[in-house]
Amino acid sequence: MNASLDYTVVIDNLPLLIQGAGVTLAVALASITAGLAVGMAVCLGRLSGNRVLRGLMKVYISALRGIPILVMLMIVFYMLPLVGLEVPPVLAAILGLSLNSAAFQAEIFRGGFNSLPKGQLEAARALGMAETRILTRIVIPQVLLRVLPSLVNELIVLLKNTSLASTITVIELLRTSQQLVSSTYRPTEIYSAAALLYILMCFGLSVLGSSVRSRLSGHGEGAA
């Protein structure tokens, strides 16, 4: 057996690896976006004055945070067809990942809401602003800015967790790497290249998140 490394196989198959990385990034971005919408709704329910709704949202958060992502993906992929819903693997992956992420994002948002000074809300109510307007124009924008670093971290976690979508036949970066290994018999080179692509994507998202937060913080200070 030849133990030497041959990275020409990586160069030859780089377009396929980049294509798989593109699917990975697209699934992660779609999942964080859908999870953001669901997570915000769950958070608002968790903070509402309705006792039953608070209890239901608490159960959702506890249950979804307790289910391993791989199990969640399997449930979505295999159970939806049983109720007559045929969804492609990519959509099943996004649904499973976003439902899981929503539970974590709901707690992130709850921390953001709790960190807001109470005086702001009291002043807005004293001015006669409607609760919906206070929420959409004052509260949520500030919460999103405060929790942006945590959301970026959640996005990076999601990006790495997309590798589990390979188990439901999504042709993302890991699945592409596995297919290439089966045809080239060069696992070290292919998986090293895949690891490097994961690192580059995570680093890029981290830098982008820091840049966006700096810009938004600058605008906020300028407006003040």
Side-chain angles (χ1 to χ4, degrees), residues 152-218:
V152 172
N153 288 337
E154 177 65 16
L155 174 57
I156 290 172
V157 170
L158 264 179
L159 187 140
K160 292 185 289 186
N161 284 337
T162 58
S163 60
L164 297 172
S166 63
T167 60
I168 58 172
T169 72
V170 176
I171 311 299
E172 40 66 70
L173 182 53
L174 178 59
R175 184 77 170 186
T176 300
S177 301
Q178 292 171 333
Q179 292 176 341
L180 289 175
V181 167
S182 67
S183 62
T184 63
Y185 302 102
R186 309 298 300 193
T188 302
E189 294 90 333
I190 296 296
Y191 287 132
S192 295
L196 180 59
L197 286 172
Y198 278 114
I199 291 171
L200 290 174
M201 287 189 288
C202 290
F203 179 74
L205 291 173
S206 179
V207 170
L208 180 61
S210 297
S211 176
V212 169
R213 189 170 193 274
S214 297
R215 287 176 179 273
L216 293 177
S217 297

Side-chain angles (χ1 to χ4, degrees), residues 24 31-32 34 45 55-57 78 81-82 87 100 103 105 108 118 123 141 149 151 164 177 185 192 208 214 218 224:
T24 287
S31 299
I32 196 74
L56 290 174
M57 295 304 100
Y78 289 110
L82 297 179
V87 296
N100 177 270
Q105 289 190 58
I108 291 173
K118 305 299 182 185
L151 289 180
L164 297 172
S177 301
Y185 302 102
S192 295
L208 180 61
S214 297

Side-chain angles (χ1 to χ4, degrees), residues 33-95:
T33 303
L36 189 150
V38 177
M40 182 61 75
V42 171
C43 175
L44 293 175
R46 182 82 171 81
L47 296 173
S48 76
N50 188 309
R51 203 168 168 186
V52 175
L53 184 58
R54 282 203 315 270
L56 290 174
M57 295 304 100
K58 188 174 181 180
V59 169
Y60 175 90
I61 292 170
S62 298
L64 270 293
R65 291 175 71 184
I67 300 174
I69 294 177
L70 182 57
V71 175
M72 190 68 199
L73 291 173
M74 294 295 182
I75 290 173
V76 173
F77 186 66
Y78 289 110
M79 290 191 66
L80 285 182
L82 297 179
V83 295
L85 295 175
E86 295 290 341
V87 296
V90 170
L91 185 56
I94 292 171
L95 181 58

